[in-house]
Amino acid sequence: MTEDGYNPYEMAQEQFDRIAEKLNLDEGLKDLLREPIREYHFNLPVKMDDGSTKVFRAFRVQHNDALGPCKGGIRFHPEETVDTVRALAMWMTWKTAVADIPLGGGKGGVICDPHDLSDREEENICREYIRAINQNIGPLRDVPAPDVMTSAQHMLWMMDEYETIQGEKYPGVITGKPQDMGGSKGRTEATGYGVIYVLRELLKELDRDIKDTVASIQGFGNVAQYAAELFIEYGGTVVSVSCWDQEDKKAYSYYKEDGIDLEELRSITDRFGSIDKEKAKEKGYERLPGEDWLKHEVDVLIPAALENAITEDNVGEIPSAVDMIVSGANGPITPEADEVLEDRDMIVVPDFLANAGGVTCSYFEQVQSNQNYYWPKEEVLGKLDNSMTSAFYEVWDLAQRKNVRMRDAAYMIAIQRVAEACEARGWV
Ligand code: GLU
């Protein structure tokens, strides 16, 4: 359960149950897919800079591997819970399936706050995590990646620890690595760019010009920044972004009516995606409460921070001008809020389709790492664009044909693919 009372795992199970019912899934298959196949819980003893040892609680959840090795990020967050990780692992299974890549779903998390840790302490957490899980991950088992508050540097420390234990080089054990250390070009941009490839296609279908489209983005971390980058490059306007303020221990949104200047904001942002509030003021940004990101009269909302961003408490505050939501974050809309959005005929591109660009590029990274042969950036991004575009149309076309929402169509495709893989393997 998160602090605000939402349990993402229950949410993920509810969403699954609803579609499983519609698809008439076999009972055994339902039981198999509504829970993770394996999970690992550990206490990591970590040497701190002051000489003490601190114990951090950590998890790795493998939801399903019928389509291939499990795949999914590792998050560092002070409010991480095993249920959040379970939900995220389940969503990874649907994400890889809807993106049509031969991988399963997994997720990891460590309960810690990187704001309070030195680089050395974070390195120690990464190495301890791999010491605990090394027998149960691997290029053919489960391949971690970055997620909330973890970066290419964390992935490199983890890969190094894995290789040290194995005594061999395994660049395919983890993705999202630094580019000169086995990482794929374009991986950093991939999730945010993927969100915009999908939005671009949606706008085409609606016969609307991206150049006349205005967005408000929740977050200013990796996904939000690269979504803003490509959206602005295509001619769109972003009027607001938001971020956590560690000093005030609350979120703020930053608004500029004629559109943010991305490079200007980036230059006053730390590695956690937190914007310097004083400097933002000097540069003419209006500072508003964090939740105001969804109150602006824009065309599209892009939640690109954490889960449970749009709830039954704030969904009513979305102005009627907004008619599209493209989810960059995982699980940003609670089922209650989603019902309200459905009644409003809001077009919602579901998270596990819209943000599948990250894992799709991770898949490309794995392929490159395993071959030890790296592709130019244009090739990576071209392939990514093709994958995201075709995943979008598969979902869009099914939604039109069956007259269902994109979320349901995406679930139908994903669950069907995983169910068929389980059946074909003779698991059920
Ligand atoms: N953490 C990202 C996600 O939620 C990427 C996972 C991956 O690349 O494996 O999709």
Side-chain angles (χ1 to χ4, degrees), residues 4-304:
D4 47 15
Y6 292 100
N7 183 325
Y9 186 42
E10 282 170 12
M11 243 168 76
Q13 287 186 318
E14 255 175 59
Q15 290 163 346
F16 169 75
D17 290 342
R18 212 164 49 79
I19 304 297
E21 204 61 49
K22 286 196 184 170
L23 291 175
N24 232 336
L25 279 200
D26 164 274
E27 281 306 314
L29 197 49
K30 261 197 256 178
D31 288 346
L32 181 67
L33 296 181
R34 75 190 304 284
E35 287 184 11
I37 43 169
R38 283 180 292 275
E39 55 182 56
Y40 304 94
H41 296 212
F42 354 84
N43 284 319
L44 309 177
V46 175
K47 288 270 181 301
M48 307 302 282
D49 290 348
D50 64 4
S52 67
T53 295
K54 199 166 165 193
V55 176
F56 292 88
R57 189 100 184 108
F59 316 99
R60 182 78 188 168
V61 174
Q62 297 171 346
H63 174 260
N64 189 279
D65 56 6
L67 283 170
C70 292
K71 188 82 193 77
I74 299 177
R75 315 193 329 163
F76 283 3
H77 199 275
E79 275 149 36
E80 194 63 279
T81 68
V82 68
D83 273 352
T84 310
V85 181
R86 287 176 177 138
L88 291 159
M90 192 164 176
W91 288 327
M92 284 309 301
T93 301
W94 313 139
K95 194 183 300 193
T96 51
V98 85
D100 209 10
I101 53 182
L103 296 169
K107 201 83 177 195
V110 180
I111 306 176
C112 67
D113 191 347
H115 290 99
D116 305 332
L117 298 167
S118 68
D119 284 357
R120 172 65 64 84
E121 289 167 341
E122 287 196 53
E123 178 180 348
N124 289 348
I125 293 181
C126 290
R127 291 188 186 279
E128 281 301 335
Y129 189 90
I130 294 301
R131 283 182 207 158
I133 194 71
N134 75 85
Q135 297 293 324
N136 306 102
I137 58 165
L140 304 176
R141 276 189 185 175
D142 180 7
V143 182
D147 203 278
V148 171
M149 287 202 268
T150 54
S151 65
Q153 177 63 69
H154 298 94
M155 299 306 111
L156 182 57
W157 285 323
M158 289 189 187
M159 179 184 80
D160 184 67
E161 190 63 28
Y162 186 82
E163 292 181 339
T164 304
I165 294 168
Q166 303 295 329
E168 288 176 322
K169 296 296 173 194
Y170 281 90
V173 69
I174 207 154
T175 60
K177 304 179 292 291
Q179 271 181 35
D180 46 0
M181 295 299 299
S184 174
K185 296 200 168 62
R187 176 63 187 84
T188 314
E189 296 89 334
T191 314
Y193 277 20
V195 169
I196 303 305
Y197 294 144
V198 162
L199 173 59
R200 180 196 64 205
E201 296 308 311
L202 173 65
L203 291 168
K204 268 190 215 160
E205 284 302 311
L206 301 176
D207 222 2
R208 283 157 67 165
D209 192 342
I210 202 162
K211 296 196 173 71
D212 301 327
T213 309
V214 181
S216 174
I217 301 183
Q218 186 197 31
F220 200 56
N222 174 269
V223 181
Q225 287 190 28
Y226 285 102
E229 183 176 282
L230 190 62
F231 184 65
I232 293 170
E233 200 180 304
Y234 282 161
T237 307
V238 177
V239 289
S240 172
V241 295
S242 71
C243 63
W244 179 253
D245 190 277
Q246 183 64 8
E247 194 184 31
D248 297 353
K249 298 267 185 278
K250 59 178 168 189
Y252 290 121
S253 55
Y254 292 91
Y255 179 81
K256 206 176 227 183
E257 199 182 347
D258 51 358
I260 62 158
D261 177 331
L262 185 64
E263 286 321 311
E264 179 182 74
L265 275 186
R266 273 179 167 155
S267 71
I268 55 167
T269 298
D270 70 13
R271 70 186 172 105
F272 302 109
S274 296
I275 297 165
D276 183 315
K277 50 183 180 290
E278 298 312 324
K279 292 193 178 137
K281 194 171 158 197
E282 279 163 28
K283 294 186 187 296
Y285 290 85
E286 192 180 344
R287 193 178 83 209
L288 298 164
E291 60 274 17
D292 281 18
W293 76 279
L294 52 63
K295 298 183 187 165
H296 303 301
E297 300 269 335
V298 296
D299 304 293
V300 56
L301 294 177
I302 304 179

